[in-house]
Amino acid sequence: MTTDKPKKQRIINCVSQLPYKIVLDESTDKWILNPSTGNSALYSSLDYLQNSDEYEQVVVGWTGEITKKNLTKGEILRKQLETQELHEIQRIEDDTANQTDEDKLYVTNEQMDNLGKQLKDNYNPVWLLRSRNQGRWRAYAENVIWPLFHYILNPATRKDFDSEGNNENSAWYDYVKFNEAYAMKIGEIYQPGDIIWIHDYYLLLLPQLLRMKFSSLDLEEEGKNKLVIGYFHHAPWPSYEYFRCLPRRKEILDGLVGADKITFQNEQFSRHFVSSCKRLLDSTSKKVKDDLGKDQYNLAVYGGDLVVDSSPIGVDCEGIMKEAFTPDVDSKVDAIRQAYKGKKIIIGRDRFDPVRGIIQKLRAFETFLAMFPQWREQVVLIQVSSPTLNRDSPQVIRLEQQVNELVNSINSQYGSLNFAPVQHYYMRIPKDVYFSLLRSADLCLITSVRDGMNTTALEYVTIKSHDTNSACYGKPLILSEFSGSSSVLKDAMIVNPWDSVAVARSIDQAFSLTKIQRNKLQLRTWKEVPNIRAWSDRFAKLMIEIAEDANAQDRKMTPALNRPLLLENYKAAKRRLFLFDYDGTLTPIVKDPAAAIPTARLYNIMEKLSQDPNNQIWIISGRDQAFLGKWWGSKNKSVGLSAEHGCFVKDIGTPDWVNLTEKFDMSWQVRVNEVMEEFTNKTPGSFIETKAVALTWHYRAAVPELGDYSAEQLKNELLKFTEEYDLDVMDGKKNIEVRPKFVNKGEIVKRLVWHKYGTPQDLLKPLDQSLPIDEMPDFVLCLGDDFTDEDMFRQLNSIEKKWGENYKDKRNKWGNFGFYPVTVGSAAKVTVAKAHLTDPQQVLDTLGLLVGNVSLFQSAGTVDLDARGHVKDSESSKKSHAASVAYAMKRTGSSTSLNKQ
């Protein structure tokens, strides 16, 4: 009897680029896949999971910058002979493409399919084709996010960034597109029960994008197979004081908190992230200890629970040992030792950028030779600096000049005709050469001024643990305290790279250690090296546990508003209804309520919205009639107004207010006012706002602790009146309001929605629920930030549910009735809204998108893109498609012509 093998857990691994440099050989239509250098730890994890018995891995990654193999002279001659035959095809291409040189990298569908076949099983390329400027997709991540995450605030960066013709806004739009392309690809391959694992700062928007996408597609079955997303941040995460300098800081955080688990290289980085979320999103957190005794944060965001922890990435120890000790590497080690016979070898291998501390390393080495003359001509520093993609940028050029000057200065002062103490190699070196240098070294010197995890340190300690080779075993490591590796390799010789004297003394101390001391140091540091296989298993198992917990719980995170989908729905609708709260929604919350006046931008957007005959706009606020009448009724008569949470209503285009509570006994106000005055006297900075129907006690200007305490006590006192007078006591943002229970924002929304669209409102008449759906709104955008706005959201949800029962076949093409209840502001509140926006700025951006003032890519959403990053079916996409067809025709014609010859 045979038993079925247990089903493997599927993991969709999202990386910023597939682990290849991809070249297209057009003469054969074959792809040349050269393994990429760098990211060795991540690629080792991919290889491990690819061959795992427990997991089925699916990798999603951008192709990277695609290049084409140059044609031979014979192929060029043949193409020239085809010119006359293909003249007509060329004319079609010229007429339809009409694009800049950067857009002329074309790849046929057949060629795309061929790449999929050549890649490893389950490797899925993300296509974003451009030729001259394919690096545009990296621009925002590498020129804005990366420097700031490494504590670089350099105005020159922005200037150089703009000099390429890509200003920061357009680069941000490309960053949004990059993330949206991944979301689209994942949507094609996702299966319920999959775990999605996202890597690093190129994809910070992707977690929230996936929440939007699968929420709108309704792929999460109730009670099982809930979407589970993990994110690992390989780079450092800066302190709040630096992170707050990022122009798109809230968008970045909002994108990231769509994950269920966010993991950093060390506890410091996770603490910085939680601090940023608290201050910018107003989230709440609780610190606990994980199963390893490390700090872990349970972050409450938008109704969901997010785990934030740390787990330093490791290296493939077994693989390194296997590759580093081969006959070929042995011969290279012998050659290096022979070349520097009788000398101590210091090895440094770093990426050539400002945060790797190459300048600090050279200055420390120069100080070492000056302070300890006995080591002159006895020590050589072999520094290998790997070029970066932006090696022609002014920053890298300046760094190169500084490094060359230092190297020349050291070699001229302490070298001779036969010996140079610094050997600097500005190049990428093969892996076998790299391993031979690590094996040959007597000391590894790492002086990073900021990094996430320095894998060179881990690989060096791993290789030096090879105890069967006495010439290799137990050589010390000097490691910067600013490297993420220092939180792991705590027994290495930790230094401050900015202190050249201290580093120089550490070099002397390292060379002066006895063999016994070196061996003891090696034993301690070797035990601290994390293994990439154990790291991968741990992350995957923790994600499985989160998935099991998520399926057992009812709590569900409220996703960000999917604005591109909202725009599509808006364009298709003919009877649109807008329902807006005011304070905290259309304008920011301010200490003095009288100062919360509309901005010129808000007026402009509302004017454009109200000019569309298919739009009806209502502001439903806790403000009184006088305020709303002054700032809105007199400015835009096409906006309906509801004051004091629905107690007073002024219909669109009418001058008169209707009091919905005129028959209600208002004697309660005297007693409530007396209680509020008592607390006002005890709470400096508080005051009472008397409205026609409601009383509001404000304490925003009071001492926070005293204000919160007094508010709690006052609420308890006011609750004593609720039964006698049928009142509601409402908690607002730094205020408590008392008003009649039968009137609230939800009741107003109910009457506005369940009403014949375009006809005058009579809110004193009974509700008519027999109206056909074709006479009621087919698009409702409801925005609010306060507890009182939850009444609106609940009412919309209730109507949507009832319509779903009564009008099953009347849903739109997105499977809904066009209802969008959206909460604005704090991530800490639990809401019944279907989506969220972070602040009033995002509200204006959303409304600006609807009237054409704001780019579709100002914020992330589910947009279908073609292989060139254009919106599908847009004019740009059609032109690009026509040019691609012409390119394919030309290739077909070329093949036919060649066959004739």
Side-chain angles (χ1 to χ4, degrees), residues 263-275:
T263 302
F264 295 89
Q265 297 281 14
N266 61 43
E267 293 178 4
Q268 181 190 54
F269 298 158
S270 62
R271 186 172 66 252
H272 289 335
F273 172 76
V274 171
S275 173

Side-chain angles (χ1 to χ4, degrees), residues 68 106 249 281 339 344 410 475 495 588 593-594 602 668 781 824:
K68 291 188 177 183
Y106 297 112
R249 58 195 187 181
L281 300 182
K344 298 285 188 181
I410 296 169
K475 301 298 171 70
V495 296
L602 175 57
W668 60 268
L781 176 60
V824 180

Side-chain angles (χ1 to χ4, degrees), residues 24-45:
L24 174 60
D25 185 346
E26 283 197 296
S27 63
T28 62
D29 263 359
K30 293 285 181 66
W31 294 90
I32 303 169
L33 305 178
N34 299 313
S36 292
T37 55
N39 290 320
S40 58
L42 174 58
Y43 293 156
S44 295
S45 175

